[in-house]
């Protein structure tokens, strides 16, 4: 039986390759068809997940999709996207145009797996995936353990939603600058991080995975939080109806589709988040209409499950709604936005997040990147109790880290007026003004 199933899978794969050879993808990028956007048309042989691949390429370039029309009935996939750049302009950069054509055109026809999650090993860094219960100071504790184990965090993204936390971190060995390959050391890293994630909660709802796979970080975060069931509503979430996206699912029995309609405030990467979730839930999008030209986004999907059936029950319908609500809300950045830019060094993330923790700040989302020896980090923070951050606390933190190193971005309403007495208290005063700080904290080396 296993041999027959394997043979059938291989035959289907070869058949798909033949279809793609006979009908290679065609990409047309047109700056004349629309007055205020670049129109990108993609025609290709159809396969599960192709819509996500196209949206992923455009989203990774930080392009804004203002309109989209999708049709993929039968064996053919046809897509039209209206896109603009971050400044609201058409896409005229030849480098970007060539990149889109190469990624979505015939040259990428047989290399689409390169854009998939977790398919290629890397010796440049080690990937650490974390999921567990969220709590104030969690990122600080994780960063401290990694610094203690002589791991340098070169890239990381952290999401929190509905009392759950997930992170994808790329780390390198402090001494070699490359991936960590020693199995014993990887085992220690996994064990210690798992202990941190569990904290006082011994229920086992925490997970640490260490690998050398190359992953698409944002898609992987969706998968991690979905697997951790962050879409299940809590009592607090159920009371907050006003902030909930408008998501509906109805069956169109004449055509055997389920029609998913989403209305919510528009934001960057919203389309990617919803398509990613539908794909990972094993639904196929046959038709779609996307309109995000104003402050509100409207998305309409005609879907079936991968087995060919529409949504079958009220329980399944409710699950689709909850999962799409979670996909929309995970990336919503609640809290005050802080941007840090400074020379990168071992333990930087640990030191910065420790200062946040000592001043009763909780990180709700974080993006950590390093480029050419520079650390470019973005943090969204709230008071540990979930309230708006006190302005005096932020001022004191900035004085310690450096006014030019840590800057406040975003909405001033995310700061409350400074109180007469601030609870701010620094255990490591002048941390960024002296080289002596490297001797503080955990100094026991890994052996």
């Amino acid at each position: 039986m296993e041999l027959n199933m394997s043979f059938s899978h291989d035959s289907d794969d070869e058949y798909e390759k033949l279809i793609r050879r006979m009908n290679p993808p065609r990409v047309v990028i047109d700056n004349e068809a629309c007055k205020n956007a670049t129109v990108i048309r993609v025609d290709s042989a159809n396969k599960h997940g192709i819509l996500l691949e196209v949206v992923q390429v455009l989203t990774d370039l930080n392009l804004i999709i203002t309109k989209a029309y999708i049709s993929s009935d039968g064996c053919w996939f046809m897509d039209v996207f209206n896109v603009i750049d971050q400044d609201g302009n058409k896409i005229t950069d030849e480098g970007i145009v060539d990149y889109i054509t190469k990624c979505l055109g015939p040259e990428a026809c047989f290399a689409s797996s390169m854009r998939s999650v977790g398919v290629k090993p890397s010796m440049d860094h080690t990937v650490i995936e974390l999921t567990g219960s969220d709590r104030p100071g969690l990122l600080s504790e994780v960063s401290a353990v990694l610094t203690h184990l002589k791991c340098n965090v070169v890239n990381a993204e952290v999401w929190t939603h509905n009392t759950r936390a997930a992170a994808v971190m790329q780390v390198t060995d402090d001494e070699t600058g490359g991936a960590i390959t020693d199995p014993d050391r990887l085992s220690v890293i996994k064990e210690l991080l798992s202990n941190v994630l569990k904290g006082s909660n011994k229920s086992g709802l925490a997970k640490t995975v260490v690998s050398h796979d190359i992953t698409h970080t944002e898609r992987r975060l969706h998968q991690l939080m979905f697997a951790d069931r962050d879409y299940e509503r809590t009592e607090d979430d159920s009371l907050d109806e006003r902030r909930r996206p408008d998501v509906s699912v109805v069956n169109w029995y004449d055509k055997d589709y389920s029609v998913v309609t989403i209305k919510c405030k528009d934001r960057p990467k919203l389309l990617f988040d919803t398509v990613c979730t539908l794909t990972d839930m094993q639904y196929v999008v046959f038709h779609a209409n996307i309109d995000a030209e104003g402050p509100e986004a409207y998305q309409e999907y005609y879907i079936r499950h991968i087995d060919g059936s529409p949504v079958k029950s009220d329980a399944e319908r409710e699950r689709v709604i909850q999962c799409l609500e979670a996909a929309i809300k995970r990336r919503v950045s609640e809290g005050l936005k802080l941007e840090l830019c400074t020379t990168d060094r071992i333990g930087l993330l640990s030191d910065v997040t420790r200062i946040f923790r000592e001043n009763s700040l909780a990180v709700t989302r974080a993006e950590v990147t390093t480029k050419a020896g520079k650390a470019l980090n973005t943090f969204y923070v709230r008071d540990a109790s979930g309230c708006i951050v006190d302005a005096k606390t932020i001022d004191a933190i900035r004085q310690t880290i450096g006014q030019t190193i840590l800057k406040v971005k975003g909405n001033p309403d995310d700061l409350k007026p400074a109180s007469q007495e601030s609870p701010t208290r620094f255990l490591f005063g002048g941390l960024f003004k002296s080289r002596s700080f490297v001797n503080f904290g955990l100094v026991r080396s890994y052996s």
Side-chain angles (χ1 to χ4, degrees):
M1 177 64 73
E2 291 183 3
L3 179 62
N4 291 338
M5 290 177 64
S6 176
F7 176 78
S8 175
H9 176 78
D10 292 342
S11 298
D12 291 343
D13 190 50
E14 289 302 317
Y15 177 74
E16 288 185 7
K17 289 180 180 178
L18 175 62
I19 293 296
R20 291 199 295 272
R21 287 192 185 98
M22 296 173 61
N23 303 279
R26 187 167 67 97
V27 180
V28 176
I29 300 178
D30 187 350
N31 272 318
E32 302 300 325
C34 179
K35 180 180 179 181
N36 54 8
T38 297
V39 178
I40 301 176
R41 300 184 181 89
V42 182
D43 297 336
S44 171
N46 197 14
K47 65 171 183 174
H48 181 58
I50 189 171
L51 174 60
L52 176 57
E53 288 186 3
V54 175
V55 172
Q56 185 171 299
V57 167
L58 299 179
T59 302
D60 287 348
L61 291 169
N62 290 319
L63 301 180
I64 299 171
I65 300 172
T66 58
K67 282 183 177 291
Y69 308 93
I70 292 105
S71 179
S72 61
D73 263 343
C75 298
W76 200 250
F77 170 85
M78 293 176 287
D79 250 8
V80 179
F81 296 94
N82 288 13
V83 303
I84 54 176
D85 64 17
Q86 293 288 311
D87 297 319
N89 301 317
K90 294 183 178 183
I91 314 306
T92 57
D93 187 311
E94 289 298 326
I96 294 178
V97 170
D98 290 343
Y99 179 82
I100 294 172
T101 303
K102 288 178 180 178
C103 284
L104 303 180
E107 293 181 35
C109 185
F110 307 107
S112 61
S113 62
M114 294 292 288
R115 298 192 295 272
S116 299
V117 173
V119 295
K120 184 180 177 184
S122 170
M123 297 312 294
D124 294 333
H125 57 256
T126 299
V127 177
I128 300 175
E129 298 176 356
L130 308 169
T131 53
S133 297
D134 186 30
R135 66 176 186 270
L138 180 60
L139 180 57
S140 172
E141 294 175 44
V142 168
S143 303
V145 168
L146 291 172
T147 300
H148 167 56
L149 296 174
K150 296 190 177 300
C151 301
N152 185 35
V153 180
V154 292
N155 292 291
E157 191 149 353
V158 181
W159 289 1
T160 63
H161 174 246
N162 207 10
T163 74
R164 309 303 298 166
V168 175
M169 313 180 87
Q170 297 175 0
V171 304
T172 58
D173 180 83
D174 182 4
E175 296 180 358
T176 68
I180 300 166
T181 57
D182 180 4
D184 292 336
R185 187 175 177 192
L186 292 174
S187 179
V188 170
I189 291 171
K190 183 175 179 178
E191 179 183 359
L192 294 183
L193 288 177
S194 294
N195 290 338
V196 168
L197 287 170
K198 290 179 182 178
S200 59
N201 179 8
K202 302 301 182 182
S203 61
L205 298 177
K207 187 175 181 181
T208 304
V209 176
V210 180
S211 71
H212 298 297
D213 289 338
I214 287 181
T215 68
H216 186 277
T217 299
E218 292 168 337
R219 183 177 180 190
R220 190 67 187 129
L221 283 166
H222 276 301
Q223 292 175 326
L224 291 171
M225 299 205 86
F226 173 73
D228 204 29
R229 304 176 72 88
D230 76 313
Y231 53 84
E232 294 181 340
R233 294 173 183 162
T234 63
E235 290 185 9
D236 290 340
D237 187 56
S238 63
L239 296 174
D240 200 359
E241 293 288 346
R242 292 177 301 175
R243 300 177 60 189
R244 182 169 296 158
D246 183 357
V247 182
S248 66
V249 180
V250 297
N251 281 357
W252 185 12
Y253 292 103
D254 290 347
K255 296 295 184 180
D256 224 21
Y257 291 128
S258 291
V259 183
V260 177
T261 304
I262 299 172
K263 301 174 185 177
C264 65
K265 183 179 179 180
D266 191 30
R267 60 163 175 77
K269 302 187 179 183
L270 177 64
L271 179 59
F272 169 82
D273 294 338
T274 54
V275 171
C276 178
T277 297
L278 288 171
T279 303
D280 288 335
M281 292 182 71
Q282 300 295 298
Y283 290 101
V284 179
V285 176
F286 287 87
H287 302 281
N289 177 31
I290 311 299
D291 187 347
E293 286 192 312
E296 298 290 318
Y298 175 83
Q299 300 181 356
E300 185 178 70
Y301 300 98
Y302 294 76
I303 66 170
R304 295 184 191 130
H305 194 267
I306 198 170
D307 64 8
S309 64
V311 171
K312 299 176 183 177
S313 66
D314 289 340
E316 182 183 355
R317 179 180 293 106
E318 183 63 20
R319 187 167 183 263
V320 172
I321 291 172
Q322 288 186 8
C323 289
L324 286 172
E325 287 179 354
I328 293 166
K329 294 169 66 177
R330 284 174 193 141
R331 200 196 292 267
V332 174
S333 304
E334 296 184 352
L336 181 69
K337 182 179 181 181
L338 302 176
E339 289 186 354
L340 181 140
C341 180
T342 188
T343 302
D344 188 38
R345 59 169 174 76
I346 306 297
L348 175 64
L349 181 62
S350 175
D351 289 332
V352 172
T353 53
R354 181 170 55 195
I355 291 176
F356 292 165
R357 183 189 67 199
E358 290 164 357
N359 289 276
S360 299
L361 297 188
V363 177
T364 61
R365 186 171 157 233
E367 298 175 18
V368 176
T369 59
T370 56
K371 185 181 296 183
K374 284 284 186 180
L376 307 169
N377 301 343
T378 301
F379 303 95
Y380 294 86
V381 298
R382 302 284 280 181
D383 183 271
S385 60
C387 300
I388 297 175
V389 181
D390 185 275
K392 193 170 183 179
T393 300
I394 294 298
D395 287 342
I397 290 174
R398 292 187 66 214
Q399 288 177 14
T400 299
I401 294 177
Q403 298 282 354
T404 59
I405 292 176
L406 186 69
K407 296 183 178 180
V408 179
K409 301 288 184 177
N411 191 346
D413 291 338
D414 289 328
L415 270 175
K416 67 180 178 182
S419 57
Q420 293 298 316
E421 293 184 7
S422 171
T424 303
R425 191 164 170 263
F426 299 105
L427 302 185
F428 301 99
L431 195 62
F432 283 74
K433 300 174 184 177
S434 168
R435 294 180 179 272
S436 63
F437 68 82
V438 295
N439 295 319
F440 291 132
L442 294 167
V443 296
R444 182 165 57 90
S445 62
Y446 173 84
S447 59

